[in-house]
Amino acid sequence: MPQKLRKRLFESLMMNFLLSKDTFGNIRLELESGESYDQVKVIRAFPISHPDNGFSITDQDGHELVWFESLSELNDVNQAIVQSSLEQIEFIPVIQAITGLNSYALPSIWDIQTDRGLTKLKLKTEQDIRRVSSEALLITDANGIQYLIKNRRILDKFSKKVLDRFM
């Protein structure tokens, strides 16, 4: 990229770095100083409690290269790359309702509606339900998959009854 064009790109950015992806989906970070890093990772600082605040871009060894508070600080290109990267590495389905269960005894199998569709989870112990905040819960099933309930207070009556029994 010609030096003048590169300088104009950096001047137009809200943050002084550029992200790009290669054909294999690896992210490259280029800093205004001219330093560049291949195969960087984007990490949320608080993926459950504050998913929209606090992001880090790290090198292959986990050393932080860039910190930014919000996606709104980034230009459209960097935002798109960060969002697609996070979607690829994060998988925490959000439980919208508990639609059934096989038993109130443990282990129990729950039928759940998530933001990704209907599924089942197997709850081994009551300790697999953890409070994240006064409203949010994180449930880990027997396979290690984590499910999030963002606000247990807005769930339907049956879902609340099931949660109350196991908490």
Side-chain angles (χ1 to χ4, degrees):
M1 176 182 306
Q3 187 64 26
K4 281 186 179 182
L5 176 60
R6 192 169 157 264
K7 185 176 180 191
R8 269 189 263 137
L9 273 171
F10 277 113
E11 288 171 354
S12 70
L13 298 177
M14 296 169 94
M15 300 285 296
N16 292 328
F17 64 88
L18 288 170
L19 295 175
S20 59
K21 276 191 170 185
D22 65 18
T23 54
F24 301 106
N26 297 315
I27 301 173
R28 178 182 176 82
L29 169 69
E30 187 175 348
L31 300 174
E32 185 177 27
S33 65
E35 294 175 271
S36 62
Y37 300 87
D38 293 321
Q39 297 183 358
V40 297
K41 305 282 185 241
V42 180
I43 301 167
R44 273 187 220 270
F46 309 101
I48 306 242
S49 60
H50 295 91
D52 298 327
N53 298 91
F55 300 85
S56 181
I57 299 176
T58 64
D59 65 14
Q60 292 177 354
D61 298 322
H63 300 110
E64 186 174 272
L65 303 169
V66 174
W67 170 266
F68 55 98
E69 283 295 322
S70 169
L71 289 176
S72 64
E73 295 177 19
L74 306 180
N75 67 18
D76 292 342
V77 173
N78 284 351
Q79 264 187 33
I81 290 172
V82 166
Q83 287 176 325
S84 71
S85 172
L86 291 170
E87 287 170 3
Q88 289 176 355
I89 61 171
E90 294 177 345
F91 180 76
I92 302 179
V94 176
I95 295 176
Q96 298 168 330
I98 302 167
T99 57
L101 76 151
N102 71 336
S103 170
Y104 280 101
L106 290 171
S108 67
I109 298 174
W110 299 11
D111 296 313
I112 57 173
Q113 172 69 48
T114 74
D115 61 337
R116 297 168 190 255
L118 294 170
T119 191
K120 294 179 182 288
L121 73 81
K122 182 178 182 181
L123 186 70
K124 293 188 305 184
T125 71
E126 292 164 345
Q127 288 79 26
D128 291 333
I129 301 174
R130 291 181 289 160
R131 291 180 194 269
V132 177
S133 68
S134 60
E135 298 90 20
L137 302 171
L138 192 63
I139 301 172
T140 305
D141 78 355
N143 297 316
I145 298 173
Q146 294 185 325
Y147 296 88
L148 178 65
I149 295 177
K150 289 185 178 181
N151 188 343
R152 64 190 177 108
R153 294 186 177 130
I154 63 171
L155 293 174
D156 62 275
K157 187 176 178 179
F158 179 75
S159 298
K160 288 178 184 177
K161 179 181 174 184
V162 172
L163 286 172
D164 286 346
R165 163 55 188 91
F166 288 103
M167 290 183 62

